[in-house]
């Protein structure tokens, strides 16, 4: 079983609509959690970092939440644009500088 | 856009060939990493380095080798490529104190026939 589970695996949404991506993790001790955006054929780019004491953080139309007690995070995309089509990867930093990667949420925004 | 570069972007070669995937960064980062990523799957760490002359194997066993002779350069070598090595290889770098943010290169898509 993967240490970081993301759902849904893939999602198709209409341009202008909102969507929420989920990330559940099992690793500990927790240090921080990052959401990355990976465009097709490109490397991942960091969108936001959540530390233990943070519940919510926004970066433009992206809003991340974290519940460290239940080990859950979400990434909400508001008013989606065609350029939001990408894979969104949840990465948890834990233990002695270890990283656990999710498989990603594949988002396709259609006009 | 991160200043980290990978060449080639795409490579198709025959079985048994020796290949080197190049990775360079101009940010002065001490930490560098190589990941392997198959379509629809998570990134798997295969090598990392915390500085010059430092190299370690990652979580995923790999037949590749790496070297770190200069801070900015972290090449990955396969002595004898096989079809099982077909994958995307991503290089990343990072510096201490950034919450382990990693800056990724564009990746090399390797196909071994």
């Amino acid at each position: 079983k993967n240490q970081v589970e993301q759902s849904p695996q893939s999602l198709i949404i209409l341009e202008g609509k909102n969507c929420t991506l989920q990330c559940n993790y099992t690793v500990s001790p927790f240090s921080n959690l990052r959401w990355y955006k990976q465009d097709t054929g490109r490397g991942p780019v960091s969108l936001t970092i959540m530390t233990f004491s943070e519940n919510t953080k926004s970066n433009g139309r992206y809003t991340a939440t974290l519940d460290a007690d239940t080990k859950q995070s979400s990434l909400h995309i508001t008013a989606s644009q065609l350029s939001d089509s990408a894979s969104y990867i949840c990465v948890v930093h834990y233990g002695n500088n270890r990283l656990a990667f999710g498989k990603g949420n594949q988002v396709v925004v259609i006009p | 856009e991160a200043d980290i570069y990978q060449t080639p972007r795409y490579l198709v070669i025959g079985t048994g060939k020796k290949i080197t995937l190049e990775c360079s960064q101009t940010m002065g980062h001490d930490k560098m990493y190589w990941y392997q990523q198959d379509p629809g799957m998570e990134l798997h760490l295969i090598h990392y380095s915390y500085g010059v002359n430092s190299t370690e194997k990652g979580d995923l066993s790999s037949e590749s080798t790496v070297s770190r002779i200069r801070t900015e350069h972290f090449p990955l070598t396969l002595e004898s490529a096989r079809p099982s090595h077909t994958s995307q290889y991503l290089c990343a770098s990072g510096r201490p104190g950034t919450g382990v943010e990693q800056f990724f290169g564009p990746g090399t898509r390797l196909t071994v026939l």
Side-chain angles (χ1 to χ4, degrees):
Chain A
K1 185 171 169 65
N2 201 21
Q3 296 170 319
V4 178
E5 296 281 354
Q6 293 187 241
S7 62
Q9 181 178 347
S10 60
L11 181 66
I12 300 174
I13 58 173
L14 290 173
E15 185 179 12
K17 297 296 185 182
N18 305 335
C19 70
T20 300
L21 313 175
Q22 299 290 342
C23 172
N24 297 339
Y25 60 93
T26 59
V27 295
S28 65
F30 176 86
S31 291
N32 58 67
L33 182 150
R34 281 189 185 272
W35 282 93
Y36 284 84
K37 179 187 179 189
Q38 185 177 20
D39 293 314
T40 301
R42 306 290 295 273
V45 175
S46 178
L47 291 175
T48 183
I49 179 173
M50 305 293 291
T51 58
F52 188 87
S53 59
E54 295 174 309
N55 298 119
T56 184
K57 183 179 288 186
S58 292
N59 177 6
R61 293 179 298 101
Y62 300 105
T63 299
T65 67
L66 173 68
D67 185 335
D69 292 330
T70 61
K71 298 187 176 182
Q72 296 179 326
S73 176
S74 68
L75 182 70
H76 186 78
I77 305 175
T78 302
S80 60
Q81 300 177 357
L82 298 179
S83 59
D84 293 332
S85 294
S87 179
Y88 293 84
I89 302 172
C90 176
V91 183
V92 182
H93 177 209
Y94 71 101
N96 185 18
N97 272 321
R98 296 184 66 84
L99 294 175
F101 289 79
K103 294 182 179 181
N105 306 98
Q106 186 68 45
V107 175
V108 176
V109 182
I110 59 175
Chain B
E1 190 99 359
D3 294 325
I4 180 164
Y5 309 97
Q6 291 185 242
T7 57
R9 291 293 313 278
Y10 303 92
L11 181 61
V12 181
I13 59 166
T15 298
K17 299 292 185 183
K18 177 181 179 179
I19 61 166
T20 297
L21 308 185
E22 302 287 349
C23 176
S24 296
Q25 50 97 5
T26 59
M27 296 172 282
H29 291 165
D30 289 324
K31 297 180 179 180
M32 295 190 74
Y33 311 82
W34 274 103
Y35 292 91
Q36 188 172 337
Q37 183 183 32
D38 292 319
M41 302 298 289
E42 66 268 41
L43 279 75
H44 289 288
L45 180 67
I46 52 175
H47 297 283
Y48 62 97
S49 167
Y50 284 166
V52 172
N53 294 326
S54 154
T55 61
E56 301 287 346
K57 289 190 178 295
D59 301 323
L60 182 68
S61 175
S62 173
E63 295 167 345
S64 59
T65 59
V66 293
S67 62
R68 190 86 184 277
I69 300 173
R70 304 198 315 266
T71 297
E72 61 272 20
H73 198 212
F74 192 39
L76 181 146
T77 298
L78 276 166
E79 291 292 333
S80 180
R82 295 206 302 270
S84 60
H85 296 139
T86 294
S87 189
Q88 165 133 309
Y89 293 84
L90 287 163
C91 179
S93 71
R95 64 180 187 272
T98 60
V100 202
E101 179 177 7
Q102 298 188 358
F103 299 86
F104 286 84
T108 295
R109 169 68 65 183
L110 173 66
T111 302
V112 184
L113 303 175

